[in-house]
Amino acid sequence: MDGADGPGLKTALEAILLVVDEPVAEVTLAQVLERPRGEVVRALRELAAEYTEAGRGFDLREVAGGWRYYTRDDCAAVVERFVRDGQQARLTQAALETLAVVAYRQPVSRARISAIRGVNSDGVMRTLLTRGLVEEAGQDPEGQATLYRTTTYFLERLGLRDLSELPELAPFLPDDLEGMEDQR
């Protein structure tokens, strides 16, 4: 694929990654480009380092089990102004709370989410499903309730490779958690 037979490996990777709308797995890239996975991984890491060193407005990141281009963090404000053009697309506090419950307790039912939050979460769950941040994950074998989990899009939006990269909750919990439970 080099020289007269076609573009070089890095050039081919750039061309593919430029048109994807979700992260692409290394193994998929290796298969498409008919190259060993290790060679593809090396080239991806070299490209990512080159973009960072050159101070480009984008970088190449490994997230949600694959690779994709992202706007560099220090360009976020400019891109946000361009994309949003004054419109708000942020999640509400209720949506963020619900998303956190799903992320840390998955798979989890709507009833359990509502019990944890202390309010009905059906409307918020519909919003999260519509935005592609959560998805159905089967049925609870005991109660037959639908279970929910976060999606790869959720991982992608948070810039995480997998759920193990979610921050620990303990530092954010009150010191007297048991006392708070007793007061309820």
Side-chain angles (χ1 to χ4, degrees):
M1 186 179 341
D2 292 304
D5 296 340
L9 177 58
K10 288 183 181 178
T11 302
L13 286 167
E14 288 175 326
I16 291 169
L17 292 170
L18 193 61
V19 299
V20 301
D21 58 357
E22 59 186 42
V24 181
E26 297 159 354
V27 67
T28 302
L29 292 168
Q31 289 171 348
V32 168
L33 298 173
E34 299 175 336
R35 294 289 187 92
R37 183 174 176 264
E39 188 178 336
V40 169
V41 170
R42 254 188 321 280
L44 288 165
R45 292 201 171 120
E46 287 172 11
L47 281 171
E50 289 171 19
Y51 299 148
T52 299
E53 187 177 316
R56 297 286 181 99
F58 60 91
D59 56 15
L60 180 58
R61 295 186 203 156
E62 182 182 8
V63 296
W67 291 81
R68 181 174 173 217
Y69 286 118
Y70 286 87
T71 304
R72 193 161 301 280
D73 291 339
D74 58 356
C75 296
V78 174
V79 173
E80 184 175 2
R81 274 196 310 269
F82 175 77
V83 172
R84 288 189 346 174
D85 193 28
Q87 296 177 346
Q88 286 289 357
R90 297 182 186 269
L91 292 174
T92 64
Q93 183 68 32
L96 289 171
E97 289 172 7
T98 304
L99 190 54
V101 171
V102 175
Y104 284 95
R105 294 289 184 118
Q106 61 188 302
V108 63
S109 68
R110 284 187 190 209
R112 182 71 179 136
I113 295 166
S114 295
I116 291 169
R117 290 193 61 235
V119 295
N120 185 313
S121 299
D122 289 349
V124 176
M125 282 299 293
R126 280 192 294 279
T127 299
L128 296 174
L129 283 161
T130 301
R131 290 193 178 189
L133 295 167
V134 298
E135 64 188 1
E136 290 187 8
Q139 301 286 320
D140 181 359
E142 293 176 15
Q144 296 304 311
T146 302
L147 298 175
Y148 296 91
R149 66 180 171 222
T150 55
T151 62
T152 54
Y153 179 65
F154 164 81
L155 293 173
E156 181 184 339
R157 298 299 298 166
L158 266 65
L160 304 173
R161 288 188 186 121
D162 56 48
L163 293 172
S164 69
E165 291 186 346
L166 282 171
E168 291 293 322
L169 283 180
F172 302 103
L173 296 175
D175 293 332
D176 189 23
L177 189 60
E178 290 172 6
M180 289 176 65
E181 287 294 319
D182 294 340
Q183 291 175 1
R184 284 187 161 189

